[in-house]
Amino acid sequence: MAPTRLNVLLLGALFAGLFGWALVRLTDSLAGRYVPVTWVAAIAVWLVAGALLWWILAARPRLQRRPGARSLSPQVATRTAALALASSRAGAIVAGAYAGVAVGFLPELNVPAGSSAAIAALVAALGGAAVAILGIWLERLCRIDSDDDGVQGEGPASAGTGPARGE
């Protein structure tokens, strides 16, 4: 798995933002209605960010192989790395889309429904950015040094190098 590049996240956020802005403007001009942006969406994004933060804090000692911490099974470590990758990309897209929706509502801030939707979209966009940042952090925690194969004292590559198991 290649590490996430910042330009990929920014490009995804930009395209999602353009889509969100176009959705708001087209819906307003063609249907004469506002795109419904509820606070439930913003709360849901922040709940995802909270759950991701909880997992990072719970798994961090195990991922960093701190003394006394049990190591993660290879399957859980792989799933954690996949979660990190998906979180950073999905968070960037959610942040971009809701930011575009918030920008689309800027001309409607004088209307109570428009200002409420813009604020809810902004809160959801900040939550998406938090998910993306947490995903990048988790991805960095999941990285393995290139000279470390993850297991000491096993396999032909480590024969005769490093401490033997139990020392």
Side-chain angles (χ1 to χ4, degrees):
M1 232 170 45
T4 300
R5 295 184 319 209
L6 187 60
N7 60 354
V8 169
L9 297 181
L10 292 175
L11 195 62
L14 177 68
F15 281 126
L18 289 173
F19 177 77
W21 173 80
L23 179 69
V24 169
R25 298 308 336 149
L26 285 173
T27 304
D28 186 30
S29 66
L30 295 178
R33 304 184 71 191
Y34 291 143
V35 172
V37 181
T38 64
W39 282 98
V40 174
I43 292 169
V45 173
W46 278 102
L47 284 175
V48 169
L52 188 59
L53 178 63
W54 175 82
W55 178 248
I56 290 170
L57 295 177
R60 189 170 87 179
R62 298 170 79 182
L63 287 168
Q64 292 177 336
R65 297 187 183 126
R66 290 190 180 158
R70 293 182 306 142
S71 63
L72 290 176
S73 71
Q75 195 173 37
V76 173
T78 302
R79 289 179 179 171
T80 299
L83 173 68
L85 187 71
S87 296
S88 63
R89 293 178 181 181
I93 290 171
V94 167
Y98 277 112
V101 168
V103 169
F105 275 114
L106 286 179
E108 310 298 331
L109 287 179
N110 57 348
V111 179
S115 64
S116 175
I119 294 170
L122 184 61
V123 170
L126 292 174
V131 170
I133 291 167
L134 289 170
I136 291 170
W137 183 26
L138 183 57
E139 185 178 329
R140 298 213 191 284
L141 289 175
C142 290
R143 287 189 182 165
I144 298 174
D145 294 333
S146 60
D147 61 342
D148 183 12
D149 63 357
V151 180
Q152 291 183 359
E154 291 183 8
S158 64
T161 62
R165 203 167 259 223
E167 292 183 335

